[in-house]
Amino acid sequence: MSERLMALAASPTDAAQAAAVELRRRYEWVDPRKADLIVALGGDGFLLQTLHAMLDRHRPVPVFGMNLGTVGFLMNSWSPDLLEARLLAAKTIKVPPLRMEAVTVEGERHTVPAINEVSLLRETRQAASIEVCVDGRVVLPELVCDGVLVATPAGSTAYNFSAHGPILPLESALVALTPISPFRPRRWRGAILSDRTRIRFRALDPVKRPVSAVADQREVRDIDTIEVTIDRSNPLTLLFDPEHALDDRIAMEQFAI
């Protein structure tokens, strides 16, 4: 394990910063640009930030998160002990991100990655009016709603679940297409699609009913069209303790009351 260079990232919370002081005292660390793996201290939100930083690297490295936040669904338990042994025994899970290609009403083009979900959301009190295409075929000529999202398995327990979307097993090769407060068609509750699907949204009245597109926390306003696909060219790697049964935790969320 000593041959692998570790970098440390910590959220600005008091608990994470105190833990970082303890780890810096006990282990050797390098600059993240030289590291073979990243140890991230915080909650799920901070892990998401750390993974997004990996997307900007030519060679994304594995990330081992330790929970010093609130939920920590994607994190391992916090302990300063035997860290090198934990990393040596850790199992890996590949997480391919989404890629959002957005075009605004002014013709500006934006390509933005997302790890959890891409959401199309109304900007005003007016409901959004959106055409939905799957692999080049119009499947919903007009979806009237507060919004609609595409979620990865890793993100299916986040915003997608709050919008009553399905929970997806982590290695299921599926994405969830989930409406947010749909008004018409009233009975449509979404779809589960192959992660090789190309999903395209078009704002039908972008002036009267403007919509924004959000890839995780990055927003592009006044959207004309967006296309969402899985980006297989730049997969991310999460590290977990062997006893951290993430798929089991995701499955059991379906029975949470």
Side-chain angles (χ1 to χ4, degrees):
M1 190 64 203
S2 59
E3 295 180 357
R4 299 180 71 182
L5 303 178
M6 303 185 300
L8 185 63
S11 78
T13 66
D14 291 343
Q17 289 297 311
V21 170
E22 174 70 9
L23 291 182
R24 289 192 181 101
R25 182 179 65 83
R26 297 176 63 167
Y27 303 98
E28 293 185 5
W29 305 94
V30 300
D31 184 279
R33 292 169 295 183
K34 300 178 181 178
D36 297 315
L37 60 88
I38 305 289
V39 174
L41 307 177
D44 288 332
F46 184 72
L47 180 67
L48 196 65
Q49 294 178 34
T50 305
L51 291 172
H52 270 284
M54 291 296 99
L55 291 174
D56 296 330
R57 296 177 57 144
H58 177 67
R59 182 180 62 89
V61 300
V63 178
F64 182 87
M66 285 197 281
N67 185 33
L68 286 151
T70 304
V71 179
F73 194 81
L74 296 173
M75 311 294 279
N76 299 282
S77 61
W78 155 250
S79 173
D81 301 326
L82 303 174
L83 178 58
E84 293 178 337
R86 290 176 71 185
L87 293 172
L88 185 63
K91 59 183 179 181
T92 64
I93 293 181
K94 295 290 185 180
V95 180
L98 294 167
R99 179 173 60 207
M100 177 184 80
E101 297 179 3
V103 180
T104 69
V105 294
E106 298 296 330
E108 297 176 345
R109 295 180 176 272
H110 302 266
T111 300
V112 186
I115 298 163
N116 275 359
E117 74 276 321
V118 170
S119 309
L120 201 59
L121 305 167
R122 65 183 175 96
E123 292 181 4
T124 67
R125 296 178 181 178
Q126 297 278 359
S129 180
I130 301 166
E131 177 188 78
V132 182
C133 297
V134 172
D135 288 335
R137 181 176 65 181
V138 176
V139 292
L140 289 175
E142 184 182 29
L143 172 63
V144 180
C145 57
D146 282 355
V148 61
L149 63 84
V150 180
T152 65
S156 67
T157 57
Y159 190 13
N160 170 73
F161 192 39
S162 297
H164 306 291
I167 293 177
L168 304 176
L170 198 60
E171 297 179 301
S172 62
L174 299 170
V175 295
L177 175 60
T178 303
I180 303 167
S181 300
F183 175 73
R184 189 171 63 242
R186 191 178 297 274
R187 293 186 179 181
W188 187 65
R189 292 294 179 264
I192 298 174
L193 302 171
S194 164
D195 68 358
R196 296 186 179 276
T197 303
R198 302 180 72 87
I199 303 169
R200 186 176 184 271
F201 304 107
R202 181 169 69 92
L204 295 176
D205 193 352
V207 176
K208 182 180 178 181
R209 302 173 184 273
V211 295
S212 64
V214 182
D216 288 341
Q217 296 103 350
R218 297 175 63 180
E219 182 183 31
V220 179
R221 295 182 70 82
D222 301 329
I223 291 298
D224 179 32
T225 63
I226 68 169
E227 186 168 280
V228 182
T229 56
I230 287 285
D231 184 1
R232 301 181 187 283
S233 67
N234 206 19
L236 299 166
T237 303
L238 292 175
L239 298 176
F240 292 101
D241 290 321
E243 67 274 13
H244 189 293
L246 184 61
D247 271 334
D248 184 58
R249 291 183 66 184
I250 288 175
M252 292 309 296
E253 279 294 304
Q254 298 175 86
F255 305 97
I257 299 175

Coordinates of all heavy atoms in Angstrom, one line a residue, residues 42-109:
G42 N -16.3 13.9 4.7 CA -17.5 14.8 4.7 C -18.7 13.9 4.5 O -18.8 12.8 4.9
G43 N -19.7 14.5 3.8 CA -20.9 13.8 3.5 C -21.1 13.5 2.0 O -20.1 13.7 1.3
D44 N -22.2 13.0 1.6 CA -22.5 12.7 0.2 C -22.3 13.9 -0.7 O -21.8 13.7 -1.8 CB -23.9 12.1 0.1 CG -24.0 10.7 0.6 OD1 -23.0 10.0 0.7 OD2 -25.1 10.4 1.0
G45 N -22.7 15.1 -0.2 CA -22.5 16.3 -1.1 C -21.1 16.6 -1.3 O -20.7 16.9 -2.5
F46 N -20.2 16.4 -0.3 CA -18.8 16.7 -0.5 C -18.2 15.6 -1.4 O -17.3 15.9 -2.2 CB -18.1 16.8 0.8 CG -16.6 17.1 0.7 CD1 -16.2 18.4 0.3 CD2 -15.6 16.1 0.8 CE1 -14.9 18.7 0.1 CE2 -14.3 16.4 0.7 CZ -13.9 17.7 0.3
L47 N -18.6 14.4 -1.3 CA -18.1 13.3 -2.1 C -18.5 13.6 -3.6 O -17.6 13.4 -4.5 CB -18.7 12.0 -1.7 CG -18.3 10.8 -2.6 CD1 -16.8 10.5 -2.4 CD2 -19.1 9.5 -2.3
L48 N -19.6 14.2 -3.8 CA -20.1 14.5 -5.2 C -19.1 15.6 -5.7 O -18.7 15.6 -6.9 CB -21.5 15.0 -5.1 CG -22.2 15.1 -6.5 CD1 -22.4 13.7 -7.1 CD2 -23.6 15.8 -6.3
Q49 N -18.8 16.6 -4.9 CA -17.8 17.7 -5.3 C -16.5 17.1 -5.7 O -15.9 17.4 -6.7 CB -17.7 18.7 -4.2 CG -18.9 19.5 -3.9 CD -18.7 20.5 -2.7 OE1 -17.6 21.0 -2.6 NE2 -19.7 20.7 -1.9
T50 N -16.0 16.1 -4.9 CA -14.7 15.5 -5.1 C -14.7 14.7 -6.4 O -13.8 14.8 -7.2 CB -14.4 14.6 -3.9 OG1 -14.4 15.3 -2.7 CG2 -13.0 14.0 -4.1
L51 N -15.8 14.0 -6.7 CA -15.9 13.2 -7.9 C -16.0 14.2 -9.1 O -15.4 13.9 -10.2 CB -17.2 12.3 -7.9 CG -17.1 11.2 -6.9 CD1 -18.5 10.5 -6.8 CD2 -16.0 10.2 -7.3
H52 N -16.7 15.3 -9.0 CA -16.7 16.3 -10.1 C -15.3 16.8 -10.4 O -14.9 17.0 -11.5 CB -17.6 17.4 -9.8 CG -19.0 17.1 -10.3 ND1 -19.4 17.2 -11.6 CD2 -20.1 16.8 -9.6 CE1 -20.7 16.9 -11.7 NE2 -21.2 16.6 -10.5
A53 N -14.5 17.0 -9.3 CA -13.1 17.4 -9.5 C -12.3 16.4 -10.3 O -11.5 16.7 -11.1 CB -12.4 17.7 -8.2
M54 N -12.7 15.1 -10.1 CA -12.0 14.0 -10.8 C -12.3 14.1 -12.3 O -11.5 13.7 -13.1 CB -12.5 12.7 -10.3 CG -12.0 12.3 -8.9 SD -10.2 12.1 -8.7 CE -9.8 13.8 -8.1
L55 N -13.5 14.5 -12.7 CA -13.9 14.6 -14.1 C -13.1 15.6 -14.9 O -13.0 15.5 -16.1 CB -15.4 14.9 -14.2 CG -16.4 13.9 -13.7 CD1 -17.8 14.4 -13.7 CD2 -16.3 12.6 -14.6
D56 N -12.5 16.5 -14.2 CA -11.6 17.5 -14.8 C -10.2 17.0 -15.0 O -9.4 17.7 -15.6 CB -11.6 18.8 -14.0 CG -13.0 19.5 -14.0 OD1 -13.7 19.3 -14.9 OD2 -13.3 20.2 -13.0
R57 N -9.9 15.9 -14.5 CA -8.5 15.3 -14.6 C -8.5 14.4 -15.8 O -9.4 13.8 -16.2 CB -8.2 14.5 -13.4 CG -8.1 15.3 -12.1 CD -7.9 14.4 -10.9 NE -6.6 13.6 -11.0 CZ -5.8 13.3 -10.0 NH1 -6.1 13.8 -8.8 NH2 -4.7 12.6 -10.2
H58 N -7.3 14.4 -16.4 CA -7.0 13.5 -17.5 C -7.1 12.0 -17.1 O -7.6 11.1 -17.8 CB -5.7 13.7 -18.2 CG -5.3 12.8 -19.3 ND1 -6.0 12.8 -20.5 CD2 -4.4 11.8 -19.4 CE1 -5.5 11.9 -21.3 NE2 -4.5 11.3 -20.6
R59 N -6.7 11.7 -15.8 CA -6.8 10.4 -15.3 C -7.5 10.4 -14.0 O -6.8 10.6 -12.9 CB -5.3 9.9 -15.1 CG -5.2 8.4 -14.6 CD -3.8 8.0 -14.5 NE -3.0 8.9 -13.5 CZ -3.0 8.6 -12.2 NH1 -3.6 7.5 -11.8 NH2 -2.3 9.4 -11.4
P60 N -8.8 10.2 -13.9 CA -9.5 10.1 -12.7 C -8.9 9.0 -11.8 O -8.7 7.9 -12.3 CB -10.9 9.9 -13.1 CG -11.0 10.3 -14.5 CD -9.7 10.0 -15.1
V61 N -8.8 9.3 -10.5 CA -8.3 8.3 -9.6 C -9.4 7.9 -8.6 O -10.4 8.6 -8.5 CB -7.1 8.8 -8.8 CG1 -6.0 9.2 -9.7 CG2 -7.5 10.0 -7.9
P62 N -9.3 6.7 -8.0 CA -10.3 6.2 -7.1 C -10.5 7.2 -5.9 O -9.6 7.8 -5.4 CB -9.8 4.8 -6.7 CG -8.9 4.4 -7.8 CD -8.3 5.7 -8.2
V63 N -11.7 7.2 -5.4 CA -12.1 8.0 -4.2 C -12.6 7.1 -3.1 O -13.6 6.3 -3.4 CB -13.1 9.1 -4.6 CG1 -13.4 9.9 -3.3 CG2 -12.5 10.0 -5.6
F64 N -12.1 7.2 -1.9 CA -12.6 6.5 -0.7 C -13.1 7.5 0.2 O -12.4 8.4 0.8 CB -11.4 5.8 -0.1 CG -11.8 4.9 1.1 CD1 -12.2 3.6 1.0 CD2 -11.6 5.5 2.4 CE1 -12.5 2.8 2.1 CE2 -11.9 4.7 3.5 CZ -12.4 3.4 3.4
G65 N -14.4 7.5 0.4 CA -15.1 8.5 1.3 C -15.3 8.0 2.7 O -15.6 6.8 2.9
M66 N -15.1 8.9 3.7 CA -15.4 8.5 5.1 C -16.4 9.5 5.6 O -16.3 10.7 5.4 CB -14.2 8.5 5.9 CG -13.4 7.2 5.7 SD -12.2 6.9 7.0 CE -10.9 8.0 6.6
N67 N -17.5 9.0 6.2 CA -18.6 9.8 6.5 C -18.4 10.7 7.8 O -18.2 10.2 8.9 CB -19.9 9.0 6.8 CG -21.1 9.8 7.0 OD1 -21.3 10.9 6.4 ND2 -22.0 9.3 7.8
L68 N -18.4 12.0 7.5 CA -18.4 13.0 8.6 C -19.5 14.0 8.3 O -19.4 15.2 8.7 CB -17.0 13.6 8.8 CG -16.0 12.7 9.4 CD1 -14.6 13.0 8.9 CD2 -16.1 12.7 10.9
G69 N -20.5 13.6 7.6 CA -21.7 14.4 7.3 C -22.9 13.9 8.0 O -22.9 13.3 9.0
T70 N -24.1 14.1 7.3 CA -25.4 13.8 7.8 C -25.8 12.3 7.5 O -25.9 11.5 8.3 CB -26.4 14.8 7.4 OG1 -26.0 16.1 7.7 CG2 -27.8 14.5 8.1
V71 N -26.0 12.1 6.2 CA -26.5 10.8 5.7 C -25.3 9.8 5.4 O -25.2 8.7 5.9 CB -27.4 10.9 4.5 CG1 -27.9 9.6 4.1 CG2 -28.6 11.8 4.9
G72 N -24.4 10.3 4.5 CA -23.3 9.4 4.2 C -23.7 8.2 3.5 O -23.0 7.1 3.7
F73 N -24.7 8.2 2.6 CA -25.1 7.0 1.9 C -24.0 6.4 1.1 O -23.9 5.2 1.0 CB -26.3 7.4 1.0 CG -27.1 6.2 0.6 CD1 -28.0 5.6 1.4 CD2 -26.9 5.6 -0.7 CE1 -28.7 4.4 1.0 CE2 -27.6 4.5 -1.1 CZ -28.5 3.9 -0.3
L74 N -23.2 7.2 0.4 CA -22.1 6.7 -0.4 C -20.8 6.7 0.3 O -19.7 6.5 -0.4 CB -22.0 7.6 -1.7 CG -23.3 7.6 -2.6 CD1 -23.1 8.6 -3.7 CD2 -23.5 6.2 -3.2
M75 N -20.8 6.8 1.6 CA -19.5 6.9 2.3 C -19.3 5.7 3.2 O -20.2 5.0 3.6 CB -19.6 8.2 3.2 CG -20.0 9.4 2.6 SD -18.8 10.0 1.3 CE -17.6 10.8 2.4
N76 N -18.0 5.5 3.5 CA -17.6 4.5 4.5 C -17.7 5.1 5.9 O -17.7 6.3 6.0 CB -16.2 4.0 4.2 CG -16.1 3.3 2.8 OD1 -16.5 2.2 2.6 ND2 -15.5 4.0 1.8
S77 N -17.6 4.2 6.9 CA -17.6 4.7 8.2 C -16.3 5.4 8.5 O -15.2 5.1 8.0 CB -17.9 3.6 9.2 OG -16.8 2.6 9.1
W78 N -16.4 6.4 9.4 CA -15.2 7.2 9.8 C -14.4 6.4 10.9 O -14.9 5.9 11.9 CB -15.6 8.5 10.4 CG -14.5 9.1 11.3 CD1 -14.6 9.3 12.7 CD2 -13.2 9.5 11.0 NE1 -13.4 9.8 13.2 CE2 -12.5 10.0 12.2 CE3 -12.5 9.6 9.8 CZ2 -11.3 10.5 12.2 CZ3 -11.2 10.1 9.8 CH2 -10.6 10.5 11.0
S79 N -13.1 6.3 10.6 CA -12.1 5.8 11.6 C -10.7 6.2 11.1 O -10.4 6.0 10.0 CB -12.2 4.3 11.7 OG -11.2 3.8 12.6
P80 N -9.9 6.7 12.0 CA -8.6 7.0 11.6 C -7.6 5.8 11.7 O -6.5 5.9 11.2 CB -8.1 8.0 12.7 CG -8.9 7.6 13.9 CD -10.2 7.1 13.4
D81 N -8.1 4.7 12.1 CA -7.2 3.5 12.3 C -7.1 2.7 11.1 O -8.1 2.5 10.4 CB -7.7 2.7 13.5 CG -7.8 3.4 14.8 OD1 -6.9 4.3 15.0 OD2 -8.7 3.2 15.6
L82 N -5.9 2.1 10.9 CA -5.7 1.1 9.9 C -6.2 1.5 8.5 O -6.7 0.7 7.7 CB -6.4 -0.2 10.3 CG -6.0 -0.9 11.6 CD1 -6.9 -2.1 11.9 CD2 -4.5 -1.2 11.6
L83 N -6.0 2.8 8.2 CA -6.5 3.3 6.9 C -5.8 2.6 5.7 O -6.5 2.3 4.7 CB -6.2 4.8 6.8 CG -6.7 5.5 5.5 CD1 -8.1 5.3 5.2 CD2 -6.3 7.0 5.5
E84 N -4.5 2.4 5.8 CA -3.8 1.8 4.6 C -4.3 0.4 4.4 O -4.5 0.0 3.2 CB -2.3 1.8 4.9 CG -1.8 3.3 4.8 CD -0.3 3.3 5.1 OE1 0.2 2.3 5.8 OE2 0.4 4.2 4.7
A85 N -4.6 -0.4 5.5 CA -5.1 -1.7 5.3 C -6.5 -1.7 4.7 O -6.9 -2.5 3.9 CB -5.1 -2.4 6.7
R86 N -7.3 -0.7 5.1 CA -8.7 -0.6 4.6 C -8.6 -0.3 3.1 O -9.4 -0.9 2.3 CB -9.5 0.5 5.3 CG -9.8 0.2 6.7 CD -10.5 1.4 7.4 NE -11.8 1.6 6.9 CZ -12.6 2.7 7.2 NH1 -12.1 3.6 8.1 NH2 -13.8 2.8 6.7
L87 N -7.7 0.6 2.7 CA -7.6 0.9 1.3 C -7.1 -0.3 0.5 O -7.6 -0.5 -0.7 CB -6.7 2.1 1.1 CG -7.2 3.4 1.7 CD1 -6.1 4.5 1.6 CD2 -8.5 3.9 0.9
L88 N -6.3 -1.0 1.0 CA -5.7 -2.2 0.3 C -6.8 -3.3 0.1 O -6.9 -3.9 -0.9 CB -4.6 -2.8 1.1 CG -3.9 -4.0 0.5 CD1 -3.2 -3.6 -0.8 CD2 -2.8 -4.6 1.4
A89 N -7.7 -3.4 1.1 CA -8.8 -4.4 1.0 C -10.1 -3.9 0.3 O -11.0 -4.6 0.1 CB -9.2 -4.9 2.4
A90 N -10.1 -2.6 0.0 CA -11.3 -2.0 -0.5 C -11.8 -2.6 -1.9 O -10.9 -2.9 -2.7 CB -11.1 -0.5 -0.7
K91 N -13.1 -2.7 -2.1 CA -13.6 -3.1 -3.3 C -14.0 -1.9 -4.2 O -14.2 -0.8 -3.6 CB -14.9 -4.0 -3.1 CG -16.0 -3.3 -2.4 CD -17.2 -4.2 -2.2 CE -18.3 -3.5 -1.4 NZ -19.4 -4.4 -1.1
T92 N -14.0 -2.0 -5.5 CA -14.2 -0.9 -6.4 C -15.5 -1.0 -7.1 O -16.0 -2.1 -7.4 CB -13.1 -0.8 -7.4 OG1 -13.2 -2.0 -8.3 CG2 -11.7 -0.7 -6.8
I93 N -16.2 0.1 -7.3 CA -17.4 0.2 -8.0 C -17.2 1.4 -9.1 O -16.9 2.5 -8.7 CB -18.6 0.5 -7.1 CG1 -18.9 -0.7 -6.2 CG2 -19.8 0.8 -8.0 CD1 -20.1 -0.6 -5.3
K94 N -17.4 1.0 -10.3 CA -17.3 2.0 -11.4 C -18.6 2.8 -11.5 O -19.7 2.2 -11.5 CB -17.0 1.3 -12.7 CG -15.6 0.7 -12.8 CD -14.5 1.7 -12.8 CE -13.1 1.0 -12.9 NZ -12.0 2.0 -12.9
V95 N -18.5 4.1 -11.7 CA -19.7 5.0 -11.8 C -19.5 5.8 -13.1 O -18.8 6.9 -13.0 CB -19.9 5.9 -10.6 CG1 -21.1 6.8 -10.7 CG2 -20.0 5.0 -9.3
P96 N -20.1 5.4 -14.2 CA -20.0 6.3 -15.4 C -21.0 7.5 -15.2 O -22.2 7.3 -14.9 CB -20.5 5.4 -16.5 CG -21.4 4.3 -15.9 CD -20.8 4.2 -14.5
P97 N -20.5 8.7 -15.5 CA -21.4 9.9 -15.3 C -22.3 10.1 -16.5 O -22.1 9.5 -17.6 CB -20.4 11.0 -15.2 CG -19.2 10.5 -16.0 CD -19.1 9.0 -15.8
L98 N -23.3 10.9 -16.3 CA -24.1 11.4 -17.4 C -23.4 12.6 -18.1 O -22.5 13.2 -17.5 CB -25.5 11.9 -16.9 CG -26.4 10.9 -16.3 CD1 -27.5 11.6 -15.5 CD2 -27.0 10.0 -17.3
R99 N -23.8 12.8 -19.4 CA -23.3 14.0 -20.1 C -24.5 14.7 -20.6 O -25.3 14.2 -21.3 CB -22.4 13.6 -21.3 CG -21.9 14.8 -22.1 CD -20.9 14.4 -23.1 NE -21.4 13.4 -24.0 CZ -20.7 12.5 -24.7 NH1 -19.4 12.4 -24.5 NH2 -21.3 11.7 -25.5
M100 N -24.6 16.0 -20.2 CA -25.7 16.8 -20.7 C -25.2 17.8 -21.7 O -24.2 18.5 -21.5 CB -26.3 17.7 -19.5 CG -27.4 18.7 -19.9 SD -27.9 19.7 -18.6 CE -26.6 21.0 -18.5
E101 N -25.8 17.7 -22.9 CA -25.5 18.7 -24.0 C -26.7 19.6 -24.1 O -27.8 19.2 -24.6 CB -25.2 17.9 -25.3 CG -24.0 17.0 -25.1 CD -23.7 16.3 -26.4 OE1 -24.4 16.5 -27.4 OE2 -22.7 15.4 -26.4
A102 N -26.6 20.8 -23.7 CA -27.7 21.8 -23.7 C -27.5 22.9 -24.7 O -26.3 23.4 -25.0 CB -27.8 22.4 -22.3
V103 N -28.6 23.3 -25.3 CA -28.6 24.5 -26.3 C -29.6 25.4 -25.7 O -30.8 25.1 -25.5 CB -29.0 24.0 -27.7 CG1 -28.9 25.3 -28.6 CG2 -28.0 23.0 -28.2
T104 N -29.2 26.7 -25.5 CA -30.1 27.7 -25.0 C -30.9 28.3 -26.2 O -30.6 28.1 -27.3 CB -29.3 28.8 -24.3 OG1 -28.6 29.6 -25.2 CG2 -28.4 28.2 -23.2
V105 N -31.9 29.2 -25.8 CA -32.7 29.8 -26.8 C -31.8 30.8 -27.6 O -32.2 31.2 -28.7 CB -33.9 30.5 -26.2 CG1 -34.9 29.5 -25.6 CG2 -33.5 31.5 -25.1
E106 N -30.7 31.3 -27.1 CA -29.8 32.2 -27.8 C -28.8 31.4 -28.6 O -28.0 32.0 -29.3 CB -29.1 33.0 -26.7 CG -29.9 34.0 -25.9 CD -30.6 35.0 -26.8 OE1 -30.1 35.4 -27.8 OE2 -31.8 35.4 -26.4
G107 N -28.9 30.1 -28.6 CA -28.0 29.3 -29.4 C -26.7 28.9 -28.8 O -25.8 28.3 -29.4
E108 N -26.5 29.2 -27.5 CA -25.3 28.9 -26.8 C -25.3 27.4 -26.5 O -26.4 26.8 -26.1 CB -25.2 29.6 -25.5 CG -25.0 31.1 -25.7 CD -25.0 31.9 -24.3 OE1 -25.4 31.3 -23.3 OE2 -24.6 33.1 -24.3
R109 N -24.2 26.7 -26.6 CA -24.0 25.3 -26.3 C -23.2 25.0 -25.1 O -22.1 25.6 -24.9 CB -23.4 24.6 -27.5 CG -24.3 24.6 -28.7 CD -23.7 23.9 -29.9 NE -24.6 23.9 -31.1 CZ -25.6 23.0 -31.3 NH1 -25.7 22.0 -30.5 NH2 -26.4 23.1 -32.3

